[in-house]
Structure formats: structure tokens, C-alpha cells
Amino acid sequence: MHRYFLAGAIALSSLSIAQVAAAQDSRARSEIVVTAKYQKDWDKGNKLEAEGLAEIESAKRDLVKHSAALVNAQNLRNTSLERAANARAQFENLTQRQYFTDPQDALSWARDVEKAAANWAKFEKRTDEGASDLKKAQERQEAAQSAIDKAQSKIDKGRKMKLEAEQASRLSAGN
């Protein structure tokens, strides 16, 4: 549970940093002078950067959500593994019994064996489901991380385009 809150806090803090950076960048934009010749390139870079910032915020929220799902799936799988092992051990202990004192004792034993076998099967099935859920959660988490990387690449490309337009404008203004 603490991992989930920690992951959420980290993601929220990184979102606010991105918003502050975007706000600072928008103030800095008004001071940037780009000649008309390079304005189109700068605008494309600015648009690309803005799209990347929006996408990265969404991807980070998805990553937090999928990370929590991953932790939940791990917990379900681990709990089911432990319960299946306990049910199997109980079943094996019951089946090692060799003698009974009366028919009621034998009937009680048979019910206990049936219950232990049912629990073993139930938790074994939950273990398999938990492993499947864990695999899906890992894939979703990896996809969310990939989306973050892709958005960051878009931001970097947009910033590079803007910088190149600014530098080209300065060079052409200086000549």
C-alpha cells in the first residue's frame, strides 16, 4: 500500500514540475525573437513540445495506475501461492492418516480431505489467474513507460527544433 502512495506522490510531484516548466517556458517565449524565415520551424517545434508535455502528463498518470495494478497483481499471486501451499500441506497431512476409531471419525476425515482438496484447487486456480494478471499488468506498465519515453522524445525534438530556429535566426540577423 505504501508503494502505491509513494508512486502516486512521485508522479504528482513530477507533473507539477512539468507544469511549472511549461509556465516558465511560456514566459520565456515572449522574449524569443525568431525571424520570419524560421518562424514556421519554431512554431512546429513549439507545437511538438506542447503535445509532448500533454502526452507525458497523461502517460505518467497511466504509469501510476498501472504500477498500482502491478503491485496488486503481485500481492494476489503471492497470497494465492501461499494459500495453495498451505492447502496442499493440509491435504497431504490428512491423507497420511491410516486408521479411524469409528465411522463418524472417518466421515469427518473425508469431509476435511474434500475441503482441503477443494481449497488446494481453488487457490491453485487463483495462482494461475494471478500470474496471468501479473503478466498483463507488467505489459501495461511497460507500455505506459514506453509512452512516457515517446512523449519525452517528442518534447526533446520540439525543443531542438525551436533552438535550431532561434540559432539560425541569430546567425542570419548577425550576417
Side-chain angles (χ1 to χ4, degrees):
M1 187 72 161
H2 293 293
R3 288 182 200 164
Y4 174 71
F5 289 122
L6 180 60
I10 290 170
L12 290 176
S13 68
S14 64
L15 289 179
S16 60
I17 290 170
Q19 291 168 345
V20 169
Q24 289 173 344
D25 187 46
S26 66
R27 281 187 289 175
R29 284 186 203 134
S30 61
E31 300 169 11
I32 298 170
V33 178
V34 179
T35 60
K37 183 177 178 183
Y38 300 103
Q39 184 66 44
K40 194 177 213 179
D41 291 339
W42 192 90
D43 288 343
K44 284 181 185 177
N46 190 45
K47 181 181 177 190
L48 201 58
E49 179 184 15
E51 289 172 358
L53 287 170
E55 289 172 9
I56 204 166
E57 288 180 25
S58 175
K60 284 181 179 180
R61 282 191 297 272
D62 288 346
L63 181 62
V64 169
K65 180 176 70 173
H66 296 312
S67 294
L70 179 68
V71 170
N72 290 339
Q74 286 172 332
N75 288 341
L76 173 65
R77 185 203 56 189
N78 293 345
T79 301
S80 296
L81 276 170
E82 291 171 11
R83 289 182 175 174
N86 289 341
R88 180 180 179 185
Q90 182 183 11
F91 177 81
E92 288 173 352
N93 285 338
L94 286 169
T95 55
Q96 290 177 2
R97 187 169 177 189
Q98 301 288 327
Y99 61 93
F100 304 101
T101 56
D102 59 45
Q104 288 300 339
D105 189 29
L107 184 60
S108 175
W109 171 84
R111 286 184 188 135
D112 290 344
V113 168
E114 183 179 357
K115 184 179 176 184
N119 283 340
W120 183 12
K122 177 175 75 175
F123 291 121
E124 195 70 27
K125 182 180 177 188
R126 283 189 187 167
T127 299
D128 293 342
E129 291 169 356
S132 174
D133 290 348
L134 179 61
K135 182 179 178 186
K136 290 175 188 173
Q138 286 172 329
E139 289 169 355
R140 285 188 217 114
Q141 184 185 38
E142 289 168 3
Q145 184 60 52
S146 176
I148 289 172
D149 295 343
K150 184 178 176 183
Q152 185 61 52
S153 171
K154 203 175 208 181
I155 292 167
D156 294 342
K157 184 177 180 183
R159 288 179 180 165
K160 182 181 177 190
M161 289 176 73
K162 287 173 30 180
L163 181 63
E164 288 172 352
E166 291 170 24
Q167 289 173 343
S169 286
R170 285 190 195 114
L171 284 175
S172 68
N175 290 336

